[in-house]
Short mmCIF file of all heavy atoms in Angstrom, two decimals:
data_model
loop_
_atom_site.label_atom_id
_atom_site.label_comp_id
_atom_site.label_asym_id
_atom_site.label_seq_id
_atom_site.Cartn_x
_atom_site.Cartn_y
_atom_site.Cartn_z
N PHE A 161 3.57 -2.57 9.71
CA PHE A 161 3.76 -2.14 8.38
C PHE A 161 3.51 -0.61 8.24
O PHE A 161 4.25 0.16 7.59
CB PHE A 161 2.93 -2.84 7.35
CG PHE A 161 3.18 -2.44 5.88
CD1 PHE A 161 4.20 -2.99 5.19
CD2 PHE A 161 2.47 -1.45 5.31
CE1 PHE A 161 4.49 -2.65 3.92
CE2 PHE A 161 2.78 -1.09 3.93
CZ PHE A 161 3.76 -1.68 3.29
N VAL A 162 2.46 -0.17 8.91
CA VAL A 162 2.19 1.29 8.96
C VAL A 162 3.32 2.08 9.57
O VAL A 162 3.65 3.15 9.13
CB VAL A 162 0.82 1.51 9.70
CG1 VAL A 162 0.56 3.08 9.73
CG2 VAL A 162 -0.32 0.79 9.07
N GLU A 163 3.90 1.51 10.59
CA GLU A 163 5.05 2.14 11.27
C GLU A 163 6.25 2.20 10.21
O GLU A 163 6.99 3.20 10.25
CB GLU A 163 5.48 1.36 12.54
CG GLU A 163 4.41 1.51 13.61
CD GLU A 163 4.72 0.57 14.78
OE1 GLU A 163 5.67 -0.27 14.66
OE2 GLU A 163 4.05 0.62 15.83
N ARG A 164 6.37 1.19 9.39
CA ARG A 164 7.39 1.25 8.34
C ARG A 164 7.17 2.41 7.39
O ARG A 164 8.04 3.16 7.02
CB ARG A 164 7.43 -0.04 7.55
CG ARG A 164 8.11 -1.23 8.21
CD ARG A 164 7.96 -2.53 7.38
NE ARG A 164 8.44 -2.39 6.02
CZ ARG A 164 8.24 -3.27 5.00
NH1 ARG A 164 7.58 -4.32 5.29
NH2 ARG A 164 8.68 -2.99 3.80
N ILE A 165 5.90 2.62 7.01
CA ILE A 165 5.54 3.76 6.16
C ILE A 165 5.95 5.07 6.86
O ILE A 165 6.62 5.94 6.25
CB ILE A 165 4.03 3.79 5.86
CG1 ILE A 165 3.61 2.52 5.06
CG2 ILE A 165 3.63 5.10 5.12
CD1 ILE A 165 2.11 2.44 4.89
N ALA A 166 5.56 5.19 8.08
CA ALA A 166 5.83 6.49 8.84
C ALA A 166 7.38 6.66 8.87
O ALA A 166 7.88 7.83 8.77
CB ALA A 166 5.27 6.37 10.26
N LYS A 167 8.13 5.58 9.10
CA LYS A 167 9.58 5.71 9.22
C LYS A 167 10.24 6.12 7.90
O LYS A 167 11.17 6.99 7.91
CB LYS A 167 10.17 4.35 9.73
CG LYS A 167 11.72 4.47 10.01
CD LYS A 167 12.20 3.21 10.62
CE LYS A 167 13.56 3.33 11.16
NZ LYS A 167 14.54 3.77 10.04
N VAL A 168 9.73 5.63 6.81
CA VAL A 168 10.28 5.95 5.52
C VAL A 168 10.04 7.41 5.31
O VAL A 168 10.96 8.14 4.82
CB VAL A 168 9.64 5.15 4.42
CG1 VAL A 168 9.93 5.73 3.02
CG2 VAL A 168 10.15 3.65 4.45
N HIS A 169 8.89 7.94 5.59
CA HIS A 169 8.61 9.36 5.39
C HIS A 169 9.57 10.24 6.32
O HIS A 169 9.98 11.25 5.84
CB HIS A 169 7.16 9.67 5.70
CG HIS A 169 6.19 9.37 4.61
ND1 HIS A 169 5.98 10.14 3.48
CD2 HIS A 169 5.41 8.23 4.41
CE1 HIS A 169 5.14 9.62 2.72
NE2 HIS A 169 4.68 8.48 3.22
N GLN A 170 9.70 9.71 7.50
CA GLN A 170 10.57 10.49 8.48
C GLN A 170 12.07 10.47 7.95
O GLN A 170 12.74 11.52 7.88
CB GLN A 170 10.52 9.90 9.82
CG GLN A 170 11.32 10.64 10.84
CD GLN A 170 11.08 10.13 12.28
OE1 GLN A 170 10.53 9.02 12.44
NE2 GLN A 170 11.57 10.79 13.30
N ASP A 171 12.48 9.28 7.65
CA ASP A 171 13.98 9.13 7.22
C ASP A 171 14.20 9.87 5.89
O ASP A 171 15.31 10.49 5.69
CB ASP A 171 14.33 7.64 6.92
CG ASP A 171 14.33 6.88 8.26
OD1 ASP A 171 14.29 7.50 9.33
OD2 ASP A 171 14.32 5.57 8.22
N GLU A 172 13.22 9.97 4.98
CA GLU A 172 13.43 10.65 3.71
C GLU A 172 13.08 12.14 3.80
O GLU A 172 13.15 12.92 2.86
CB GLU A 172 12.53 10.02 2.62
CG GLU A 172 12.81 8.55 2.35
CD GLU A 172 14.03 8.37 1.44
OE1 GLU A 172 14.33 9.32 0.71
OE2 GLU A 172 14.70 7.34 1.54
N ASP A 173 12.68 12.59 5.04
CA ASP A 173 12.21 13.94 5.21
C ASP A 173 11.16 14.36 4.14
O ASP A 173 11.23 15.39 3.43
CB ASP A 173 13.42 14.99 5.13
CG ASP A 173 12.97 16.37 5.57
OD1 ASP A 173 11.99 16.51 6.32
OD2 ASP A 173 13.59 17.37 5.16
N ASN A 174 10.16 13.42 4.02
CA ASN A 174 9.15 13.49 2.97
C ASN A 174 7.80 13.69 3.65
O ASN A 174 7.19 12.66 4.01
CB ASN A 174 9.18 12.28 2.10
CG ASN A 174 8.30 12.38 0.89
OD1 ASN A 174 7.76 13.43 0.59
ND2 ASN A 174 8.07 11.26 0.19
N LYS A 175 7.43 14.83 3.88
CA LYS A 175 6.19 15.20 4.64
C LYS A 175 4.91 14.69 3.92
O LYS A 175 4.82 14.83 2.66
CB LYS A 175 6.08 16.62 4.93
CG LYS A 175 7.16 17.14 5.90
CD LYS A 175 7.03 18.62 6.17
CE LYS A 175 8.14 19.07 7.12
NZ LYS A 175 8.04 20.54 7.30
N ILE A 176 4.05 14.12 4.66
CA ILE A 176 2.69 13.75 4.11
C ILE A 176 1.89 15.01 3.99
O ILE A 176 1.76 15.75 4.99
CB ILE A 176 2.01 12.71 4.99
CG1 ILE A 176 2.79 11.35 5.03
CG2 ILE A 176 0.58 12.52 4.55
CD1 ILE A 176 2.25 10.35 5.99
N GLN A 177 1.32 15.26 2.82
CA GLN A 177 0.54 16.47 2.64
C GLN A 177 -0.96 16.24 2.73
O GLN A 177 -1.74 17.16 2.96
CB GLN A 177 0.85 16.99 1.17
CG GLN A 177 2.35 17.46 1.00
CD GLN A 177 2.54 17.99 -0.36
OE1 GLN A 177 2.13 17.39 -1.32
NE2 GLN A 177 3.28 19.07 -0.48
N ALA A 178 -1.37 14.97 2.53
CA ALA A 178 -2.75 14.59 2.70
C ALA A 178 -2.84 13.06 2.92
O ALA A 178 -2.03 12.31 2.41
CB ALA A 178 -3.55 14.95 1.39
N LEU A 179 -3.86 12.71 3.72
CA LEU A 179 -3.99 11.28 4.09
C LEU A 179 -5.44 10.85 3.94
O LEU A 179 -6.37 11.58 4.43
CB LEU A 179 -3.50 11.01 5.49
CG LEU A 179 -3.80 9.63 6.14
CD1 LEU A 179 -3.02 8.56 5.38
CD2 LEU A 179 -3.49 9.62 7.58
N SER A 180 -5.68 9.75 3.37
CA SER A 180 -6.99 9.18 3.31
C SER A 180 -6.94 7.67 3.81
O SER A 180 -6.00 6.97 3.46
CB SER A 180 -7.58 9.09 1.89
OG SER A 180 -8.73 8.35 1.82
N LEU A 181 -7.81 7.30 4.66
CA LEU A 181 -7.95 5.90 5.10
C LEU A 181 -9.28 5.40 4.59
O LEU A 181 -10.28 5.23 5.37
CB LEU A 181 -7.88 5.77 6.66
CG LEU A 181 -6.52 6.28 7.30
CD1 LEU A 181 -6.57 6.08 8.80
CD2 LEU A 181 -5.38 5.57 6.60
N SER A 182 -9.34 5.19 3.26
CA SER A 182 -10.53 4.63 2.69
C SER A 182 -10.69 3.18 3.14
O SER A 182 -9.76 2.39 3.08
CB SER A 182 -10.47 4.72 1.18
OG SER A 182 -10.10 6.11 0.81
N ASN A 183 -11.88 2.79 3.51
CA ASN A 183 -12.02 1.46 4.09
C ASN A 183 -13.28 0.71 3.81
O ASN A 183 -14.18 1.30 3.23
CB ASN A 183 -11.84 1.61 5.67
CG ASN A 183 -12.90 2.35 6.28
OD1 ASN A 183 -13.90 1.89 6.72
ND2 ASN A 183 -12.72 3.73 6.34
N VAL A 184 -13.37 -0.48 4.23
CA VAL A 184 -14.54 -1.34 4.10
C VAL A 184 -15.12 -1.70 5.49
O VAL A 184 -14.84 -2.81 5.93
CB VAL A 184 -14.30 -2.59 3.21
CG1 VAL A 184 -15.62 -3.21 2.88
CG2 VAL A 184 -13.56 -2.25 1.94
N ALA A 185 -15.67 -0.75 6.14
CA ALA A 185 -16.23 -0.94 7.44
C ALA A 185 -15.14 -1.37 8.46
O ALA A 185 -15.36 -2.32 9.26
CB ALA A 185 -17.44 -1.88 7.45
N ALA A 186 -14.00 -0.79 8.34
CA ALA A 186 -12.93 -1.10 9.34
C ALA A 186 -13.22 -0.65 10.75
O ALA A 186 -14.07 0.30 10.90
CB ALA A 186 -11.63 -0.52 8.82
N ASP A 187 -12.63 -1.24 11.73
CA ASP A 187 -12.94 -0.83 13.08
C ASP A 187 -12.32 0.65 13.32
O ASP A 187 -11.21 0.95 12.93
CB ASP A 187 -12.20 -1.77 14.06
CG ASP A 187 -12.71 -3.13 13.98
OD1 ASP A 187 -13.90 -3.34 13.58
OD2 ASP A 187 -11.92 -4.08 14.31
N ASP A 188 -13.12 1.45 14.01
CA ASP A 188 -12.70 2.85 14.30
C ASP A 188 -11.38 2.83 15.07
O ASP A 188 -10.54 3.72 14.84
CB ASP A 188 -13.78 3.55 15.09
CG ASP A 188 -14.99 3.95 14.21
OD1 ASP A 188 -14.88 3.95 12.95
OD2 ASP A 188 -16.03 4.18 14.81
N SER A 189 -11.21 1.88 16.00
CA SER A 189 -10.04 1.89 16.75
C SER A 189 -8.74 1.66 15.92
O SER A 189 -7.74 2.29 16.13
CB SER A 189 -10.08 0.85 17.94
OG SER A 189 -10.17 -0.44 17.31
N THR A 190 -8.87 0.75 14.93
CA THR A 190 -7.75 0.49 14.05
C THR A 190 -7.47 1.73 13.16
O THR A 190 -6.35 2.13 12.92
CB THR A 190 -8.05 -0.72 13.13
OG1 THR A 190 -8.35 -1.83 14.00
CG2 THR A 190 -6.84 -1.06 12.21
N LEU A 191 -8.57 2.31 12.62
CA LEU A 191 -8.37 3.54 11.83
C LEU A 191 -7.66 4.69 12.59
O LEU A 191 -6.75 5.26 12.10
CB LEU A 191 -9.74 4.05 11.37
CG LEU A 191 -10.44 3.25 10.30
CD1 LEU A 191 -11.88 3.72 10.13
CD2 LEU A 191 -9.73 3.19 8.92
N ASN A 192 -8.01 4.79 13.84
CA ASN A 192 -7.38 5.84 14.71
C ASN A 192 -5.94 5.57 14.93
O ASN A 192 -5.10 6.46 14.97
CB ASN A 192 -8.15 6.00 16.03
CG ASN A 192 -9.50 6.72 15.88
OD1 ASN A 192 -9.70 7.53 14.91
ND2 ASN A 192 -10.49 6.37 16.76
#
């Protein structure tokens, strides 16, 4: 699903200006 998000931004030429991965003790590997 995250790859879908990235593809939509790429297809729409809609650059991400800021990103937050707010979490509830998620695994560092998954966050990365």
Side-chain angles (χ1 to χ4, degrees):
F161 183 85
V162 179
E163 290 171 356
R164 280 175 57 191
I165 295 175
K167 187 174 188 304
V168 167
H169 279 281
Q170 183 176 11
D171 291 347
E172 298 281 334
D173 191 25
N174 187 11
K175 293 180 181 177
I176 293 174
Q177 296 179 319
L179 171 67
S180 172
L181 299 182
S182 307
N183 64 90
V184 189
D187 297 333
D188 286 340
S189 61
T190 304
L191 291 171
N192 287 331

